[in-house]
Amino acid sequence: MAAEASQILRGVTEPSPGSLPPAVEGLPRGEVPDGVAQDGAGTRQDEEAAAGEEAASTAATVEAAEEVREAPPDDVTALCRDMFTKMSAYLHGELAATCGDYRLLEQLNRLTARSYGEMGEQARSVHGRLSTLTQQYAALQQCLSQVDSVELQVSLLEQAAYRLDAHSKRLEAKFKKLEKR
């Protein structure tokens, strides 16, 4: 445990935010704020070189440091595995249901396309028959007008026959009346 703690502490060489005075907080490493006296132990270039070396050694120790992990309790591990197993089963079920829905839609689309194809064939057939009937009607139109004319004449002839019959019955009645006298 002490070795792990020392590895972690070796990786921490930078001051934490807020631990420096406010005048120094925002400055790049190695710069001295205005109004702060230097102790004369080194020049500014020496400080920058030392800062670069310190950053390189810090990066090396950070790479070498390993994260300390404690093994989770067995019941948490078992619960996590159970959760992932159940979530996997749930997602597989959802995907299977979605695939089933898509298969059903595909079948419905095929049936609909087939039905529309049959309706199209029927519509073409009806259109062909209608065209034929229209042509036949146009050809028979003259004959039909003649039939209408004949029917009108027959109707007039029938009326004339009824009038003639009525007149002949009156004449017959008069003739019988004259005979009896």
Side-chain angles (χ1 to χ4, degrees), residues 15-96:
S16 62
S19 65
L20 296 175
V24 181
E25 185 75 48
L27 292 176
R29 186 174 188 87
E31 283 206 21
V32 178
D34 293 337
V36 175
Q38 293 185 357
D39 60 357
T43 64
R44 183 174 237 161
Q45 293 166 345
D46 291 337
E47 289 176 6
E48 288 175 2
E53 290 173 11
E54 187 177 330
S57 67
T58 301
T61 38
V62 169
E63 288 177 10
E66 293 180 17
E67 186 177 335
V68 178
R69 293 187 183 181
E70 292 181 21
D74 289 338
D75 61 336
V76 172
T77 305
L79 288 173
C80 285
R81 283 192 179 132
D82 186 44
M83 178 195 68
F84 281 120
T85 303
K86 289 179 180 177
M87 184 63 87
S88 174
Y90 169 75
L91 290 175
H92 281 293
E94 285 293 316
L95 289 174

